[in-house]
Amino acid sequence: MTDMKNTDMEEINIATDVLVLGGGLTGIKAASEIAGSGYKVILVEKDAELGSKKGPELIGLKEEYKGLQDLEDKIKTDSNVEILTQASLVSAAGVTGDFTARLSKGKKVIEHNVGAIVVATDFATGSLNEKYGLSPADNVLTQSRMDELLASEADKEKLANKTVAFLVGLGQEGNPLVLERVLKSTLALQEIDGCDVYIYAGDLKVASNGLERMYKESREKGAVYFKLTEKPEIIENGKTISFFDTVARRNIEISPDLIVVEEELRADQLNERIAEILKIDVGPLGFLQNDNVHFFPVRSNRDGIFVAGSTREISGLPSAWTDVENIALEVRDLLGDGKKSVAKNKAVVNEDKCVICLTCYRCCPHGAIYWGDKKAVISPVACQGCGICASECPMDAIQIGGFSDEEMIEEVKSGVASGNGTPRILAFCCQNSAFEAGEMADIFKMQLPDGLRMIKVPCAGKIDLDYILNAFVAGADGILVMACHPGNCKSEKGNTYAQWRVNDAYRMLEEVGLEKDRLCFVGTASNMGSGFSSIVVDMEKRINELGLSPLK
Amino acid sequence: MIVAKRKPFEEIKTMLKDYKKVLTVGCGTCVAVCLVGGEKEVGILNAELSMARKIDGNPIDLGATTLERQCDMEFLDELENVVDEYEALLSMACGAGIQFLAERYPNKPVLPAVDTTFIGANRDVGWYEEKCRSCGSCVLGWTGGICPVTMCAKGLYNGPCGGTDDGNCEIHKDQPCAWFMIYERLAAQGRLDLIMEFQPITAWQNQKPRTLVQPGYEKREEAG
């Protein structure tokens, strides 16, 4: 969001070590990829062992598991990778390019200065036995237990001549990865002499690489699928499974030797704690996903902090590794050779005015602000120039390069005073959406009122309450605050702040005795040229009904 | 910090109705931190007032300035050269600042734009909680760091009273009982013996307007 006016640059040094949190299938790959780019990696794992010996969920993925073990062996001997097992993150101060991470291992606390942080936790599994009315017994296995049996040659032999029933997609809304585990076990069981497999399934979620093929292969080899709309009747803790087949018009009863219950896949319990320490967003169900069209999926709301694989959504090994490869590219782009050129005037704090009230620190969606001895400090690397801080500062102590209060008020005043056309409508336009939409409307010669003046802001979060009120004082007949659509703000909350301020201004206009309809908040997107036109034309109509401002 | 809130706009407008030229004076300390009386709020209030007065057909000329602190005479001196240009001063400082401003410029009407509310702490942006009634005789050392004067509806120095009800106060189920919290905190710290120590009621001197001279300055004051 760097503005063209930011030409005064300086070069700063940044840390190039990278912290990777989680030593599972995602973390091992991340450490390997990033170390492969030439950066030192500190890999932190809470357990005693790294990924390849961890959860049974990995054992189901046999072919990839081999590759994982190779990677694990490789990073263990890589001098660029420092592995800390039975360790955890305690705190992380600072900003992108300069984080100070404190890690605890036993009673020791180790401090590391890192330039970037990658959160690479894996998913956890949970039993769904209860959903099927089953309790643990010799004949009732979880999917993880089945995976374990199949991984051991000795246990595998014991499965010969067994009838195995799988329950999947009836205890939860399915997920391709859940089905993948069932299909892999089924194919493995079909290799064993005399094994019969029955699968009781709700919807079969095959939307992932190779699942359709594996499903067909298992059928061809004799697996029997029962597609049901509700759970079958389970008698005597799984001794017998029965359901009414509407085609055959009779009950189908099977008595399997073993019954395998699907498992739910959920976010790692550590996620929320990590998110709290790193000040990044937690999405639904504990995943650290940042659902924002402006970001690559692996980016968090803070520059320099990335989320990979099952940290952000349930991912099997291939998609988790794709995430990691993307992160490795982002890390290279961010850290480079440890030198970074940044704009000097992106956001400048006036030391004389700042009272260290911490408002900016608390409001910054990018975690770019901390405080020093006498004033708030804004990191030029982490700052995205949105201006939310500047507009919330109670002392007007923060100025954004190219969008200072003085320049903005001047633009407001000249916008109201200059040229022809009434009614005079000022539109504060976010440069990421409304401003581009407005330019499009103009270039394509769509209808625009003569009295319209567009004022560009770096983000709707920069639209100060002051600007809105001063525009009315200067004689504006109508004001539009044009932000990105909800959930679409590049600075996450800039549009929300703008909306709050407009609501605040409504209250004030009411107190003052000016019609509230003269002020309007709208969400826009950059491709809404004709939408922009109709919004401003509607506004003109509304103002014409109200008449010109009494403040002229 | 001292926490204040903006007066209702109508009240401010009524106070100013007979004046045509007014200087709004912000304060860059507590009231700036609690988002009510810093430079930004001065600008917003002035914009509101000038709109309202213009609509009423009675325009007002408003000046704006924000001082470091209105509770120090030295900073108030900065206004000396401009005060005469205005008919009245509208202060956005706490009650102490407003009174000092009025004392420094006794010939000018000094009007309050905020209501001083309490001494409190900042829970989140714009969210404050009262923590201290400045009773003049702090008991926090015996009460596990929880103030019964502020938190207890009766301001009891020795509690709890018979009205404590499962952690809440008899006045309202949403009002936590201060002495219950004190008990819990002291019990957790293994310092419950402190709750049995009898605390005398606050001295009368704390119930009237007080003056404070820090000990190191007493002699200097006498000499001066």
Side-chain angles (χ1 to χ4, degrees):
Chain A
M1 212 183 289
T2 311
D3 189 72
M4 294 301 285
K5 293 172 195 169
N6 284 330
T7 48
D8 194 6
M9 308 295 278
E10 65 180 330
E11 193 169 79
I12 57 166
N13 291 318
I14 55 174
T16 57
D17 290 0
V18 179
L19 179 68
V20 175
L21 300 172
L25 65 89
T26 321
I28 288 174
K29 176 73 171 170
S32 159
E33 284 287 317
I34 295 166
S37 302
Y39 301 111
K40 186 174 177 218
V41 173
I42 299 107
L43 179 66
V44 177
E45 165 55 42
K46 66 173 189 307
D47 292 337
E49 294 282 359
L50 290 188
S52 68
K53 292 183 193 60
K54 284 183 65 183
E57 64 272 12
L58 297 174
I59 295 162
L61 314 167
K62 256 180 157 178
E63 314 86 78
E64 294 113 349
Y65 171 62
K66 176 77 179 62
L68 183 69
Q69 202 158 28
D70 293 344
L71 272 190
E72 187 178 321
D73 295 342
K74 196 182 111 197
I75 60 168
K76 277 181 172 164
T77 54
D78 189 335
S79 61
N80 252 345
V81 182
E82 181 184 339
I83 298 170
L84 295 171
T85 50
Q86 289 174 304
S88 62
L89 179 69
V90 181
S91 70
V95 294
T96 177
D98 184 23
F99 291 106
T100 303
R102 294 176 69 234
L103 306 160
S104 77
K105 181 174 166 59
K107 282 184 182 157
K108 266 198 321 195
V109 173
I110 308 152
E111 214 173 85
H112 269 291
N113 186 225
V114 296
I117 299 174
V118 180
V119 190
T121 54
D122 293 314
F123 58 77
T125 55
S127 162
L128 287 175
N129 285 3
E130 272 181 23
K131 295 260 183 189
Y132 290 93
L134 285 161
S135 42
D138 285 348
N139 66 317
V140 180
L141 310 180
T142 60
Q143 178 68 52
S144 293
R145 179 67 191 135
M146 176 51 85
D147 289 344
E148 273 174 16
L149 294 179
L150 289 170
S152 140
E153 288 304 321
D155 288 335
K156 229 167 148 176
E157 276 174 27
K158 293 181 202 151
L159 293 168
N161 300 314
K162 295 273 195 258
T163 302
V164 183
F166 284 86
L167 297 170
V168 61
L170 295 161
Q172 65 177 342
E173 178 63 36
N175 175 301
L177 200 58
V178 173
L179 182 65
E180 187 178 326
R181 299 177 73 195
V182 172
L183 293 175
K184 282 188 170 164
S185 316
T186 300
L187 289 171
L189 286 167
Q190 286 172 329
E191 302 285 311
I192 301 170
D193 279 348
C195 238
D196 283 330
V197 181
Y198 293 89
I199 294 153
Y200 295 81
D203 288 329
L204 291 171
K205 306 258 177 174
V206 290
S208 180
N209 256 355
L211 289 197
E212 185 91 39
R213 176 184 54 73
M214 283 161 66
Y215 162 69
K216 280 191 178 150
E217 190 185 331
S218 69
R219 276 189 73 153
E220 280 159 16
K221 287 184 175 163
V224 178
Y225 284 81
F226 297 121
K227 169 90 169 67
L228 306 177
T229 51
E230 56 185 34
K231 285 172 209 157
E233 194 187 346
I234 296 173
I235 303 153
E236 280 183 73
N237 202 32
K239 291 280 184 324
T240 305
I241 306 176
S242 166
F243 72 95
F244 183 74
D245 187 312
T246 50
V247 178
R249 300 176 65 119
R250 66 181 178 87
N251 277 332
I252 307 271
E253 263 189 26
I254 287 163
S255 300
D257 299 310
L258 294 171
I259 184 160
V260 182
V261 186
E262 63 175 329
E263 285 172 317
E264 69 170 328
L265 306 179
R266 53 178 183 232
D268 192 313
Q269 277 182 330
L270 278 180
N271 281 11
E272 293 198 11
R273 176 77 189 121
I274 291 175
E276 194 188 329
I277 293 172
L278 296 179
K279 299 187 198 77
I280 59 174
D281 296 340
V282 187
L285 307 172
F287 292 101
L288 310 185
Q289 169 64 295
N290 205 318
D291 207 4
N292 185 318
V293 290
H294 293 292
F295 290 160
F296 285 124
V298 296
R299 292 189 72 150
S300 73
N301 53 306
R302 292 190 66 192
D303 211 46
I305 300 179
F306 302 95
V307 287
S310 295
T311 304
R312 60 180 197 88
E313 65 179 0
I314 289 296
S315 311
L317 186 141
S319 54
W321 283 20
T322 307
D323 268 10
V324 166
E325 281 157 9
N326 287 330
I327 289 174
L329 290 175
E330 294 257 328
V331 166
R332 228 176 300 168
D333 192 39
L334 171 72
L335 303 179
D337 61 355
K339 293 201 187 313
K340 197 137 192 94
S341 181
V342 292
K344 268 186 183 168
N345 66 342
K346 214 178 206 176
V348 180
V349 180
N350 181 332
E351 192 174 314
D352 294 336
K353 285 188 175 182
C354 176
V355 291
I356 326 188
C357 66
L358 306 185
T359 304
C360 55
Y361 163 77
R362 290 175 179 143
C363 291
C364 177
H366 310 289
I369 306 179
Y370 50 101
W371 63 93
D373 285 346
K374 286 184 185 153
K375 63 168 182 173
V377 181
I378 302 179
S379 153
V381 193
C383 174
Q384 307 292 311
C386 66
I388 290 175
C389 59
S391 295
E392 288 294 310
C393 173
M395 289 299 283
D396 291 335
I398 303 172
Q399 299 300 333
I400 304 295
F403 298 97
S404 72
D405 286 331
E406 209 176 311
E407 287 167 288
M408 294 300 295
I409 292 287
E410 190 47 50
E411 219 177 316
V412 164
K413 285 185 178 158
S414 68
V416 175
S418 69
N420 301 318
T422 49
R424 191 52 59 96
I425 297 167
L426 286 195
F428 291 99
C429 299
C430 168
Q431 68 177 3
N432 299 309
S433 52
F435 193 77
E436 292 193 358
E439 286 194 317
M440 183 199 264
D442 187 35
I443 290 164
F444 288 107
K445 303 271 178 266
M446 290 167 184
Q447 190 187 351
L448 292 175
D450 292 339
L452 174 74
R453 299 287 183 276
M454 284 183 6
I455 296 179
K456 182 163 95 169
V457 287
C459 165
K462 180 71 194 89
I463 305 166
D464 205 312
L465 196 46
D466 247 11
Y467 305 162
I468 299 172
L469 297 179
N470 274 301
F472 280 126
V473 171
D477 299 303
I479 295 174
L480 283 160
V481 170
M482 306 184 83
C484 296
H485 286 306
N488 222 357
C489 173
K490 217 168 174 171
S491 292
E492 301 228 2
K493 289 187 285 190
N495 48 2
T496 312
Y497 274 100
Q499 173 123 49
W500 286 338
R501 293 185 200 130
V502 166
N503 290 339
D504 223 9
Y506 281 145
R507 178 177 54 80
M508 292 175 178
L509 293 183
E510 205 163 348
E511 289 170 349
V512 161
L514 192 67
E515 301 92 341
K516 278 162 65 177
D517 280 353
R518 293 185 184 278
L519 175 63
C520 187
F521 175 89
V522 276
T524 45
S526 58
N527 60 355
M528 282 175 54
S530 63
F532 184 93
S533 164
S534 61
I535 288 165
V536 290
V537 168
D538 279 354
M539 187 69 178
E540 186 187 32
K541 240 183 256 167
R542 196 197 298 189
I543 302 297
N544 280 333
E545 281 164 20
L546 289 171
L548 296 184
S549 165
L551 294 167
K552 277 210 183 298
Chain B
M1 121 193 92
I2 293 169
V3 179
K5 62 174 194 258
R6 241 278 286 277
K7 273 190 172 295
F9 183 71
E10 214 36 57
E11 189 182 334
I12 300 174
K13 213 175 98 177
T14 308
M15 274 191 291
L16 293 182
K17 69 180 188 326
D18 297 328
Y19 305 108
K20 298 226 179 269
K21 195 161 186 213
V22 172
L23 178 65
T24 308
V25 189
C27 179
T29 313
C30 308
V31 290
V33 174
C34 71
L35 315 181
V36 73
E39 187 169 320
K40 168 142 293 134
E41 296 299 326
V42 169
I44 289 169
L45 176 58
N46 276 4
E48 272 187 274
L49 283 168
S50 66
M51 278 193 271
R53 288 286 290 262
K54 202 159 174 189
I55 289 170
D56 292 349
N58 178 23
I60 184 169
D61 186 359
L62 291 157
T65 187
T66 300
L67 300 177
E68 181 74 31
R69 281 196 296 279
Q70 291 189 31
C71 54
D72 276 307
M73 281 296 175
E74 289 83 347
F75 294 120
L76 296 175
D77 287 347
E78 291 170 18
L79 298 180
E80 195 154 13
N81 296 330
V82 293
V83 160
D84 285 342
E85 297 168 26
Y86 297 92
E87 299 164 21
L89 305 175
L90 179 61
S91 171
M92 299 194 84
C94 70
I98 299 169
Q99 290 186 53
F100 240 30
L101 183 65
E103 187 181 321
R104 176 64 182 79
Y105 301 105
N107 298 327
K108 290 286 168 197
V110 173
L111 311 165
V114 304
D115 289 321
T116 305
T117 316
F118 53 72
I119 298 175
N122 206 334
R123 186 65 74 184
D124 199 351
V125 181
W127 171 10
Y128 311 94
E129 282 175 5
E130 180 167 20
K131 288 291 172 201
C132 173
R133 289 268 164 93
S134 60
C135 72
S137 117
C138 192
V139 292
L140 289 169
W142 292 279
T143 59
I146 295 166
C147 174
V149 181
T150 313
M151 294 298 294
C152 167
K154 296 175 182 171
L156 294 179
Y157 277 117
N158 299 280
C161 70
T164 184
D165 177 17
D166 229 0
N168 295 319
C169 174
E170 63 183 326
I171 62 157
H172 197 275
K173 63 175 174 36
D174 292 335
Q175 176 64 39
C177 168
W179 279 99
F180 177 80
M181 293 194 292
I182 291 167
Y183 176 90
E184 294 280 298
R185 174 88 51 92
L186 289 176
Q189 294 179 353
R191 299 201 296 156
L192 259 186
D193 52 314
L194 289 174
I195 210 167
M196 296 308 290
E197 274 182 42
F198 176 73
Q199 299 302 328
I201 56 168
T202 188
W204 164 244
Q205 65 168 19
N206 293 324
Q207 303 289 324
K208 62 182 181 54
R210 292 158 290 181
T211 303
L212 171 80
V213 181
Q214 300 292 13
Y217 295 83
E218 280 168 2
K219 292 234 158 53
R220 304 183 204 182
E221 285 290 317
E222 282 164 21

